[in-house]
Amino acid sequence: MNVLDSEIKSLLESYKKITVYGLSNDISKPSHYVPVYIRDKGWEVVGTYPKEHSVGGFTIYKNLKDVPKEDRKFIDVFRSSDKVPEVIDEILSLGGTEVIWLQLGISHPEAEKKAEDAGIRVVSNRCLIIEHRNYF
């Protein structure tokens, strides 16, 4: 993680569009209720999920490459830590991403370093709900 605790508030203030990688159709999962919370707090949220769904009224894309580039600047990742390297590789291959946020319990130091070396700001093992409540 190359974002300091003291930078999280300004990071969240700087981006008002978030793509959620793995936005679930299961309303009981954090990968669904975290995006709902963030949207309800004023952010524009779109998601990716391999199966089509409209749960929660989100625009869902099957693949990250289908998400408009302007919506991929801040990507919130809900994938297990062992999947992070392939997610980072996909993000790097598409370009245009400025922030990768790995949700609570998700980290992969080597993949994070690869993203950081490419100039991307990385937050890992942090929950957007918790961080939002800490600063707003």
Side-chain angles (χ1 to χ4, degrees):
M1 181 168 108
N2 65 352
V3 175
L4 301 173
D5 289 349
S6 61
E7 299 173 312
I8 290 189
K9 181 180 181 185
S10 66
L11 185 74
L12 292 175
E13 290 173 330
S14 298
Y15 294 89
K16 289 301 181 184
K17 285 186 176 183
I18 295 175
T19 293
V20 177
Y21 194 109
L23 198 159
S24 177
N25 59 358
D26 183 342
I27 62 171
S28 69
K29 290 186 174 184
S31 54
H32 184 83
Y33 65 75
V34 170
V36 168
Y37 174 92
I38 291 300
R39 179 188 61 198
D40 290 349
K41 297 301 178 185
W43 279 265
E44 291 181 49
V45 178
V46 299
T48 67
Y49 198 74
K51 298 175 187 169
E52 288 186 38
H53 74 82
S54 60
V55 179
F58 293 102
T59 299
I60 303 294
Y61 298 91
K62 189 171 183 174
N63 300 295
L64 189 60
K65 69 180 180 182
D66 298 330
V67 177
K69 189 174 183 176
E70 63 271 11
D71 293 342
R72 292 194 316 251
K73 290 182 180 183
F74 187 121
I75 300 178
D76 180 24
V77 178
F78 281 95
R79 292 295 311 265
S80 60
S81 293
D82 64 313
K83 301 292 185 193
V84 169
E86 66 189 56
V87 172
I88 298 290
D89 286 345
E90 181 180 5
I91 290 169
L92 293 176
S93 74
L94 294 170
T97 299
E98 298 171 4
V99 176
I100 297 172
W101 186 291
L102 304 175
Q103 278 294 137
L104 193 61
I106 304 170
S107 67
H108 193 289
E110 295 83 13
E112 292 172 43
K113 174 99 170 69
K114 187 174 187 178
E116 292 167 359
D117 290 347
I120 296 174
R121 304 193 67 200
V122 177
V123 177
S124 63
N125 193 27
R126 296 288 181 104
C127 177
L128 278 170
I129 291 176
I130 293 169
E131 299 306 324
H132 180 268
R133 288 179 178 160
N134 282 340
Y135 296 106
F136 300 96

